[in-house]
Amino acid sequence: MAYLFVHEDREYLLDPGERFESDLGILEVPEDVEPGDVVETHLGTGFTVRRLRGPDLFTHLERTGAPMMPRDVGLVVGKTGVAAADRVLDAGTGTGILSAYLGRIGADVVTYEQDPEFAEVARQNMEIAGVADTVEVRTGDITDDLDDLSGFDVLTLDTEDAPTVVERTPTLLDRGGSLAVYSPFVENTREVVATATEVGLDGVETLDTIQREMDFDDRGSRPSTGGVGHTGYLTFARRP
Ligand SMILES: C[S@@+](CC[C@H](N)C(=O)[O-])C[C@H]1O[C@@H](n2cnc3c(N)ncnc32)[C@H](O)[C@@H]1O
């Protein structure tokens, strides 16, 4: 299992037995390394060993499809109420940030990725996240398998063709189950909302997730004037 090796503002994701070189020296990671250990480079710089947690995954997993940001993941978790042992259907996997977070909560996730290379990277990412047993990455287009999928508690979508899947929520979701769709543009969002309403879902609601970081300095305190405010629109609904 890979761990984070942290020295001041440096963080490296390394496996037991790995040899890593940087300007701070050569780090030989012992095979029996444990979280909490301090491992020194040959120049004597100490790296503290840490287990990966959710935000570390966002920073360190290999990226393919644009990953969902932790603040959007938080909204998905809060609005769907996804919990341990829930059955979650997700598409597309992309980097797998959302899937990995859901797996770490204890959900059983089936996630579809149409790009075979992305799917392979996502499988490796699930290994790193420690959720390879509960997050199944299927290579393929989710819309090809819709006839064979049913009985999920939560459906999470982050694809352009999400409306095609939303149309099938009455069979994909169990009664009371939740839908969450992430769309970067208003045009896709409108289509998702129209489809969810047409198929009779309850409580169709779209949220624009704007988050402002606060800056505190000697002159005063105010929301940061830098950074990107908008990430995407999240639409939620439930099967009655
Ligand atoms: C924006 S990324 C998803 C990121 C992901 N939610 C995360 O948190 O890392 C979208 C991914 O969906 C995949 N995709 C698009 N349409 C798909 C479909 N119909 N079935 C399966 N995967 C699809 C794309 O190849 C891309 O990798």
Side-chain angles (χ1 to χ4, degrees):
M1 173 180 277
Y3 295 111
L4 272 187
F5 289 73
V6 183
H7 174 79
E8 296 176 355
D9 61 348
R10 308 274 195 106
E11 287 186 0
Y12 302 110
L13 186 62
L14 302 172
D15 283 310
E18 195 169 335
R19 183 177 198 270
F20 177 75
E21 292 184 30
S22 74
D23 55 318
L24 300 176
I26 300 167
L27 194 67
E28 305 267 7
V29 181
E31 289 288 354
D32 60 352
V33 70
E34 299 266 1
D37 289 353
V38 176
V39 183
E40 290 192 357
T41 66
H42 81 295
L43 298 177
T45 306
F47 280 82
T48 306
V49 182
R50 273 192 10 213
R51 218 183 283 284
L52 284 160
R53 299 187 59 81
D56 303 319
L57 302 175
F58 183 78
T59 313
H60 291 283
L61 290 188
E62 184 179 338
R63 290 190 182 188
T64 55
M68 201 177 276
M69 290 189 71
R71 76 192 204 200
D72 295 319
V73 173
L75 200 56
V76 170
V77 171
K79 294 294 283 185
T80 63
V82 61
D86 273 356
R87 288 194 67 211
V88 179
L89 177 62
D90 172 70
T93 319
T95 301
I97 293 296
L98 179 61
S99 297
Y101 263 95
L102 299 179
R104 285 176 54 84
I105 286 170
D108 288 319
V109 183
V110 173
T111 177
Y112 278 79
E113 174 51 57
Q114 64 185 7
D115 182 309
E117 284 176 22
F118 287 9
E120 195 43 48
V121 171
R123 277 185 206 103
Q124 288 161 17
N125 282 344
M126 296 312 112
E127 290 278 350
I128 292 167
V131 294
D133 289 348
T134 50
V135 178
E136 181 193 347
V137 180
R138 292 188 184 167
T139 306
D141 183 332
I142 189 172
T143 63
D144 291 341
D145 282 5
L146 293 174
D147 288 344
D148 305 321
L149 297 164
S150 63
F152 291 91
D153 301 295
V154 176
L155 170 60
T156 54
L157 300 170
D158 186 356
T159 63
E160 256 186 71
D161 56 8
T164 312
V165 184
V166 172
E167 218 175 290
R168 305 290 289 273
T169 29
T171 48
L172 294 173
L173 284 177
D174 274 350
R175 291 200 174 277
S178 288
L179 165 73
V181 184
Y182 180 94
S183 325
F185 299 107
V186 135
E187 288 78 3
N188 309 85
T189 311
R190 282 190 68 102
E191 221 187 312
V192 166
V193 168
T195 310
T197 308
E198 266 165 35
V199 297
L201 298 188
D202 271 350
V204 181
E205 173 188 37
T206 299
L207 300 171
D208 175 10
T209 62
I210 293 173
Q211 184 172 285
R212 299 189 305 177
E213 191 172 345
M214 291 294 291
D215 282 344
F216 299 98
D217 62 30
D218 294 343
R219 293 180 305 149
S221 313
R222 63 177 176 178
S224 167
T225 52
V228 181
H230 175 79
T231 47
Y233 301 98
L234 274 158
T235 300
F236 299 96
R238 291 185 71 180
R239 185 183 163 197

